[in-house]
Amino acid sequence: MKRILLVLMSVFMLAFLVGCGNDASKPTESAKPSTSEKITVQAAASLKGALTELADAYKKSHNLADDQIAINFAGSGTLRQQIEQGAPASLFISADEKNMKMLQEKDLVTDVKPFVTNELVLVVPKGQPKVELNQIASVKRIVLGNPETVPAGNYGKQVLTKLGVWEQVEPNVVYAKDVKAVTASISQGAGDVGFIYKTDAIAAGDAVEISAVTPADSHDPVIYPIGIIKKYDNALAKDFYQYVMSPEGQKVLEKYGFSTSK
């Protein structure tokens, strides 16, 4: 009897150890991504800091791999053209309503809503004398995002047109690919003044200084809409859309200087 008991105990111990070994070799449930889906977000360059933080927080809380949410930052017009050409993107956040409406007219996006708003400001390199808007005609180098593809550049052109100096200063305009490039040019002293968003001026820290805030009636409202791209819509796209629109997501956007609908 004792021998039988010893044999049975040995068998149970062996089964226990094998079971533990199998469990240790398997990933726990918490280590598995909640979904295998992937999305790409086409987002205005001015959203880089805020949206990167939002995506990182979402991936961490949902246990997603880094490559499951990719973000392509550029000028809104460039992003819109990429979407029209079939770029595999699931969400689009534009820095203006114009580019979003162009996609709506082609029935390429759905669930379009206002996302955030921003302000357009004139900046100078840190430590340089401030330039008022009524002095801009005397400036030698004005850095502006390409008005054809960069909403901030289009807004800046509208301001200069409203002031009645566009034709006069156009030869002095240096064009940049997006608002981040404008900020970099001013921070490096490659331009004397530049039109960027308030959020970019905040993000630049000591590198640039706000010289003037453009009047609201001098350009179109700076409204960022968000929409889901129909062709590459999936559950992850919908859930991330809801997350960035949630009170939690809006708090992050406000931290970066954006105004929300709250």
Side-chain angles (χ1 to χ4, degrees):
M1 180 64 70
K2 287 183 180 180
R3 184 176 297 176
I4 294 173
L5 288 174
L6 286 172
V7 171
L8 289 173
M9 288 177 65
S10 298
V11 170
F12 289 144
M13 285 296 294
L14 181 60
F16 175 77
L17 291 172
V18 170
C20 288
N22 287 342
D23 287 343
S25 66
K26 291 179 181 179
T28 61
E29 276 306 308
S30 62
K32 295 179 181 178
S34 59
T35 175
S36 61
E37 293 176 331
K38 295 183 180 182
I39 61 170
T40 295
V41 182
Q42 299 277 75
S46 50
L47 285 163
K48 187 171 185 178
L51 204 59
T52 298
E53 180 173 332
L54 285 168
D56 288 345
Y58 181 90
K59 285 185 284 189
K60 183 177 180 180
S61 65
H62 289 71
N63 205 21
L64 302 183
D66 283 342
D67 66 348
Q68 286 186 253
I69 300 179
I71 310 177
N72 182 25
F73 295 104
S76 299
T78 298
L79 297 172
R80 185 256 307 160
Q81 291 171 357
Q82 292 174 357
I83 293 168
E84 290 174 334
Q85 293 164 8
S90 300
L91 294 174
F92 178 42
I93 310 176
S94 174
D96 66 352
E97 295 180 296
K98 173 187 172 183
N99 282 290
M100 187 66 80
K101 285 179 180 176
M102 292 173 74
L103 295 182
Q104 285 180 287
E105 290 169 358
K106 295 183 178 180
D107 199 31
L108 296 177
V109 292
T110 186
D111 295 311
V112 175
K113 293 181 180 179
F115 185 51
V116 292
T117 61
N118 212 335
E119 291 183 81
L120 188 73
V121 298
L122 187 69
V123 293
V124 297
K126 190 69 174 180
Q128 294 301 309
K130 289 188 176 183
V131 176
E132 299 296 332
L133 288 170
N134 59 11
Q135 300 172 318
I136 202 165
S138 63
V139 174
K140 292 182 179 179
R141 296 174 302 172
I142 303 170
V143 186
L144 197 66
N146 184 344
E148 298 299 318
T149 57
V150 184
N154 185 43
Y155 297 139
K157 181 179 177 180
Q158 289 177 9
V159 172
L160 295 171
T161 302
K162 180 82 171 181
L163 292 170
V165 298
W166 172 251
E167 291 185 1
Q168 181 182 348
V169 303
E170 188 177 6
N172 300 330
V173 173
V174 179
Y175 294 108
K177 66 176 182 177
D178 57 41
V179 72
K180 292 296 183 185
V182 176
T183 307
S185 293
I186 299 301
S187 67
Q188 295 163 10
D192 300 307
V193 298
F195 284 98
I196 64 174
Y197 297 119
K198 180 186 73 173
T199 53
D200 291 290
I202 293 171
D206 293 337
V208 302
E209 187 171 353
I210 295 177
S211 184
V213 177
T214 63
D217 64 354
S218 66
H219 56 79
D220 293 337
V222 185
I223 298 173
Y224 291 55
I226 182 173
I228 297 175
I229 302 166
K230 292 183 176 181
K231 186 176 181 180
Y232 297 100
D233 181 16
N234 60 26
L236 179 57
K238 286 186 172 71
D239 197 59
F240 186 65
Y241 172 99
Q242 293 297 331
Y243 171 70
V244 299
M245 294 288 283
S246 71
E248 182 182 355
Q250 299 284 287
K251 283 182 182 178
V252 173
L253 292 157
E254 289 169 359
K255 184 179 77 173
Y256 282 84
F258 293 97
S259 296
T260 68
S261 57
K262 188 181 75 170

